[in-house]
Amino acid sequence: MPANTGVLSGAIKTLFERRLLMRALPRLVHGRWAQPARFKGFGSYEVRRWASLPLVSVALTEGNDPAETPESAVTQITMTPAWYGAYMEYTDQLLLTSFDPALSEISAQLGEQAGQSIDVLLRNDLTDNATTDFAGGATARTNVDATNDVIAFVDIIQNVAQLETQNALPVDGPFYVCILHPHSWATLMQDSTFVTLFTREGGEALRNGMLGTILNCRFYISSNARIYTAGGTGSINVYDMLFIAKESFAVAGISSLFPDWSGDGGGEQRRGGMTGQRVKVVDLIVKDLGETGFDPLNRRGTVGWKLTYSGTVLNANWIRNLEHANDFS
């Protein structure tokens, strides 16, 4: 690419944007099952949480209508998206001397940064507000130890049973979702009962991070699963494992600057807002040499990304967080 060809063409910028999205979208594991919030106006969104109706215990009698069922309680939650972004600078010398296509590589790196950053932000919102459980006999993160509190098959049974007790609805087809760290996954694969019952999915599922099913749960692996470094007894690392049911959390963002959390993007733009038009899921901003401001010799340019995000737990009984040790801390 010439050192300075004036403003980069729209086709080139589109190519860089696609490169960014291809690296960003597969990283958005934690948000794939979120309930979208509705635009309220003035930059805020709202989502409504409906309580369950009371059970019917009296039989109908001939010719008589039952009392009208009262409306369920509604909790309205308002969300205001915040802005996030980052950029990198490049120079004319970099474009002239770099062996690799510099702007394409920078776009790819920024895409990975964008996807990882937003996925971790949502992960933190979920783990901070979910119902917390502990493996083994631990009752707090600080007393999770490497001997008695290693994740095991029984911990999965207990957390699924709690979701069922709360009448939680499946979120991924007929299944709940479990997100766990690769170290936790490796530990479970040494549990003979787990391995015997576990069903592995095909290659297409693996590309989306989905490993297999057990106990009405689909397991997804993510290196972004939360780790509390030196958080347990003897300064061991404590890991999180999320159990997610339907409508347990929500995400919001401004339509044209908000990621597609479905995991099906593959670099493509999505349709958003009320227009049905294609919109950017992450805004890529490319400034050509000399476009960044005071730059008398047109030697500097920048590539950056920008998006909006807000996330919240709607029903803590339908999303659980299992804190545990494993064999690979």
Side-chain angles (χ1 to χ4, degrees):
M1 181 182 297
N4 186 4
T5 58
V7 178
L8 292 169
S9 72
I12 292 176
K13 290 185 178 182
T14 299
L15 177 64
F16 293 156
E17 184 173 81
R18 182 176 178 83
R19 178 84 163 157
L20 180 145
L21 295 177
M22 290 181 67
R23 292 284 287 271
L25 295 179
R27 307 292 178 178
L28 302 174
V29 175
H30 286 84
R32 293 180 188 173
W33 304 275
Q35 179 177 341
R38 296 181 298 176
F39 181 64
K40 181 180 179 182
F42 303 102
S44 67
Y45 288 69
E46 69 176 27
V47 61
R48 295 173 180 267
R49 185 179 67 196
W50 296 79
S52 299
L53 294 173
L55 301 182
V56 174
S57 59
V58 178
L60 297 175
T61 58
E62 185 177 358
N64 295 306
D65 294 327
E68 181 183 359
T69 297
E71 293 183 1
S72 62
V74 179
T75 302
Q76 180 175 300
I77 299 173
T78 300
M79 306 169 66
T80 302
W83 295 78
Y84 298 90
Y87 74 93
M88 295 177 66
E89 186 177 274
Y90 67 92
T91 66
D92 55 351
Q93 290 185 349
L94 176 65
L95 294 184
L96 283 171
T97 61
S98 174
F99 178 79
D100 297 315
L103 295 188
S104 179
E105 292 302 321
I106 289 174
S107 299
Q109 291 178 351
L110 289 171
E112 182 169 344
Q113 180 192 44
Q116 295 274 23
S117 298
I118 301 304
D119 192 56
V120 167
L121 285 170
L122 176 57
R123 177 207 70 187
N124 290 348
D125 285 334
L126 299 184
T127 54
D128 286 343
N129 297 285
T131 296
T132 301
D133 189 20
F134 301 93
T139 56
R141 184 180 307 149
T142 52
N143 61 34
V144 172
D145 70 71
T147 301
N148 302 308
D149 305 318
V150 174
I151 190 171
F153 180 62
V154 66
D155 299 309
I156 298 172
I157 295 175
Q158 291 171 353
N159 278 275
V160 173
Q162 289 298 326
L163 289 178
E164 296 285 2
T165 300
Q166 295 294 328
N167 296 316
L169 300 174
V171 68
D172 193 354
F175 302 101
Y176 300 128
V177 162
C178 296
I179 302 176
L180 72 167
H181 192 276
H183 289 173
S184 302
W185 165 249
T187 300
L188 283 171
M189 290 304 289
Q190 299 178 85
D191 185 310
S192 59
T193 305
F194 181 88
V195 172
T196 299
L197 296 177
F198 192 77
T199 302
R200 183 171 176 172
E201 303 293 336
E204 181 63 34
L206 286 174
R207 280 192 288 273
N208 290 324
M210 208 264 278
L211 294 166
T213 59
I214 190 172
L215 296 177
N216 292 330
C217 293
R218 275 185 171 157
F219 282 73
Y220 288 80
I221 194 167
S222 173
S223 60
N224 282 341
R226 196 166 190 175
I227 304 173
Y228 302 98
T229 303
T233 300
S235 297
I236 68 165
N237 294 336
V238 177
Y239 290 74
D240 279 345
M241 178 178 178
L242 279 170
F243 293 78
I244 299 173
K246 188 176 182 180
E247 297 179 358
S248 58
F249 70 101
V251 294
I254 298 173
S255 178
S256 60
L257 290 167
F258 187 52
D260 179 359
W261 300 86
S262 67
D264 300 325
E268 297 293 338
Q269 295 178 333
R270 65 179 173 85
R271 297 188 182 274
M274 299 193 311
T275 65
Q277 300 299 312
R278 290 196 175 274
V279 296
K280 300 176 182 178
V281 295
V282 181
D283 193 18
L284 178 71
I285 303 111
V286 180
K287 300 291 185 181
D288 201 0
L289 299 173
E291 289 186 337
T292 60
F294 181 74
D295 187 9
L297 299 182
N298 289 350
R299 300 185 65 193
R300 293 183 294 276
T302 58
V303 182
W305 61 269
K306 182 175 64 175
L307 55 76
T308 62
Y309 158 78
S310 179
T312 188
V313 168
L314 301 176
N315 186 347
N317 291 324
W318 287 16
I319 181 168
R320 299 183 61 83
N321 179 34
L322 173 65
E323 298 191 9
H324 60 275
N326 62 48
D327 293 333
F328 298 88
S329 297

